[in-house]
Amino acid sequence: MNHTPPSARTAVRPTHRRRVAGPVAVIAAIAATLACQAQNSSSSSSSSAAPPSKGPRGEHQGALGEAGGAVPEGTTVFDEDVPAVANLRPDLRKALRRAAKEAGGDQVALYVNSGWRSPQYQNLLLRQAIARYGSEAEAARWVATATTSPHVSGEALDVGRSDATAWLTEYGARYGLCQIYRNEPWHYELRTAAIEHGCPPMYADPTQDPRMKK
């Protein structure tokens, strides 16, 4: 990796975004995301949380549409027209963009697999997790409720592609960006104290997070 000043770098940004997935493809993508531990060992060109496949855009699809938090393929942290990015907390979005400019100098783009989500979309993800894992207790290791999820409050981002998660593992603390759960290497939140003191110890999974016990 090179380490020229951020001002001398340009961010890697896609020239276009593909279309958001339809309901069936999104549900399949949810299952792929929940199984992302296996994918995280794949090559740097693959995503650590599989992006949805192509399908119709579909804000008319309610919770599955962009308006509810679904993310078109190729979305980056610079795409303000995507609600999943635009509705993130401003301080988190600012930190992500600062990091993305630096990462761009290393030819790494910070793609967005998931950001802000509506409560309806979060509930859908939880129902799918329960169906996949067979119990609410096991599903809770992967998906929070709409009332406790930091995605619903705009405080979390799921970063796409393993080269990006590897970059953030090494350099994210400089910007206050920290992995929160050991079982979710793609899930990042803002911890400003990390800029000076490093990221706090990770929880094994969301069930260990006191915020999930509200």
Side-chain angles (χ1 to χ4, degrees):
M1 293 183 179
N2 64 67
H3 298 287
T4 55
S7 60
R9 301 180 174 190
T10 57
V12 174
R13 299 179 64 180
T15 57
H16 67 280
R17 293 200 312 276
R18 301 172 195 164
R19 296 174 294 174
V20 72
V24 174
V26 171
I27 291 171
I30 293 167
T33 298
L34 297 177
C36 200
Q37 285 174 299
Q39 295 177 12
N40 195 52
S41 62
S42 62
S43 65
S44 61
S45 62
S46 64
S47 169
S48 64
S53 58
K54 291 190 288 184
R57 285 177 73 93
E59 291 169 318
H60 65 281
Q61 295 167 20
L64 288 175
E66 283 185 42
V71 179
E73 290 184 50
T75 296
T76 76
V77 298
F78 296 102
D79 288 316
E80 293 188 359
D81 60 322
V82 177
V85 175
N87 292 336
L88 292 173
R89 287 177 57 97
D91 50 355
L92 172 59
R93 196 167 58 245
K94 181 177 179 181
L96 287 164
R97 290 174 178 172
R98 287 180 57 236
K101 290 177 181 178
E102 180 81 5
D106 294 320
Q107 301 302 303
V108 174
L110 299 189
Y111 289 100
V112 179
N113 276 358
S114 189
W116 168 85
R117 302 169 186 157
S118 69
Q120 294 80 9
Y121 188 31
Q122 187 67 32
N123 283 333
L124 172 66
L125 294 177
L126 182 58
R127 289 195 300 272
Q128 295 301 321
I130 293 171
R132 175 179 174 82
Y133 290 106
S135 71
E136 292 184 11
E138 184 62 20
R141 297 184 59 242
W142 301 98
V143 182
T145 66
T147 58
T148 61
S149 173
H151 284 281
V152 174
S153 60
E155 298 175 292
L157 183 91
D158 289 352
V159 178
R161 307 192 183 178
S162 57
D163 59 343
T165 56
W167 193 94
L168 284 172
T169 295
E170 187 166 0
Y171 300 111
R174 294 179 181 179
Y175 309 93
L177 298 171
C178 296
Q179 180 184 337
I180 304 302
Y181 308 118
R182 283 199 297 274
N183 70 328
E184 295 188 7
W186 54 87
H187 180 107
Y188 277 79
E189 298 181 27
L190 183 65
R191 299 289 184 269
T192 54
I195 297 172
E196 293 186 5
H197 305 293
C199 290
M202 287 182 274
Y203 299 110
D205 60 56
T207 63
Q208 305 302 309
D209 187 341
R211 297 176 299 173
M212 303 299 114
K213 304 182 186 301
K214 295 178 182 178

